[in-house]
Amino acid sequence: MKRALFVFLLSLIVSVSLCINQSSTKLASPTISISDVVSFLTEAKENLNKCNTTLKLPLSPQSDPAYLNITVLNETILRVNGALYEYVVLGVQNVSFSGETSFKGHRITWSTPKNLTTTGGQRIDFKIYRESSLIGSLVYWYIPFQLDSYCVTIHTKSLKLPDGEIIFVFMHTGGKDLWIVMAKNKYYS
């Protein structure tokens, strides 16, 4: 009887530990491949050439349709109109409205508050930390009907931080999104 109880408890502990390990690996953020980014940019350029509408300019004064001229060089460097930038991808294809990444010594987090707009849009809050101190933030409004009304949309937001400037780029085409953060680096320019 004691032996059967011991075997039962041991198998229960093993089962629970396997479940815990499986759930923790499912929460890990997916890796984003360069081919997904290149594929998105290629489709965006093709869509812009095919559609009869014009490129929707971003709402911010930093708008620049030149972001379609992005060439991905490797996992950390890209070229925009001849200038080289370091970058990190926050999401590609169907992006997540919450997450966290590291970029140039910063920790960037984004999340969606519980309140949504009446039109189905979502407010995404981005926060930038250096060590444990909040050093910058921005709000991006993800509004589906505005995105679907145009062939390609690009929204950019430049943030001046104590140790430099970073640029958020939100692109949308064909029901897919690409969100990246980039920064000029004097060593690459």
Side-chain angles (χ1 to χ4, degrees):
M1 178 71 173
K2 289 181 182 181
R3 188 175 212 183
L5 182 61
F6 175 75
V7 171
F8 172 75
L9 288 175
L10 183 62
S11 63
L12 183 63
I13 290 169
V14 170
S15 299
V16 169
S17 69
L18 287 174
C19 290
I20 291 170
N21 286 339
Q22 282 182 345
S23 65
S24 65
T25 55
K26 288 179 185 174
L27 295 175
S29 60
T31 53
I32 298 168
S33 71
I34 294 179
S35 61
D36 287 337
V37 177
V38 171
S39 171
F40 177 93
L41 293 171
T42 302
E43 183 179 334
K45 289 173 190 174
E46 289 171 359
N47 282 349
L48 191 59
N49 291 333
K50 283 188 226 170
C51 67
N52 295 325
T53 60
T54 58
L55 179 71
K56 182 180 189 292
L57 293 177
L59 301 174
S60 68
Q62 293 85 5
S63 64
D64 187 355
Y67 286 111
L68 274 180
N69 295 327
I70 290 176
T71 304
V72 177
L73 302 180
N74 59 40
E75 290 92 350
T76 58
I77 305 296
L78 51 76
R79 180 182 290 119
V80 181
N81 279 357
L84 295 177
Y85 292 82
E86 289 181 76
Y87 77 100
V88 64
V89 178
L90 304 182
V92 66
Q93 307 299 348
N94 296 316
V95 301
S96 172
F97 295 144
S98 64
E100 181 175 321
T101 193
S102 295
F103 179 59
K104 293 179 64 70
H106 302 104
R107 184 171 54 95
I108 301 171
T109 65
W110 61 100
S111 62
T112 305
K114 293 195 185 293
N115 57 332
L116 302 177
T117 67
T118 57
T119 57
Q122 300 199 35
R123 169 187 166 163
I124 297 113
D125 293 330
F126 288 88
K127 294 183 178 169
I128 301 94
Y129 297 89
R130 181 68 143 182
E131 295 171 1
S132 60
S133 300
L134 180 66
I135 60 170
S137 65
L138 71 94
V139 172
Y140 174 61
W141 290 95
Y142 186 91
I143 304 175
F145 74 85
Q146 284 186 336
L147 299 177
D148 294 338
S149 304
Y150 294 88
C151 213
V152 179
T153 61
I154 302 173
H155 291 237
T156 64
K157 177 66 177 171
S158 178
L159 277 185
K160 302 266 189 214
L161 301 176
D163 54 356
E165 179 183 43
I166 61 174
I167 302 166
F168 284 78
V169 181
F170 306 99
M171 297 179 66
H172 177 87
T173 188
K176 298 174 188 170
D177 297 278
L178 171 64
W179 293 359
I180 62 174
V181 178
M182 57 191 217
K184 263 191 179 177
N185 187 306
K186 59 183 175 185
Y187 300 111
Y188 294 107
S189 297

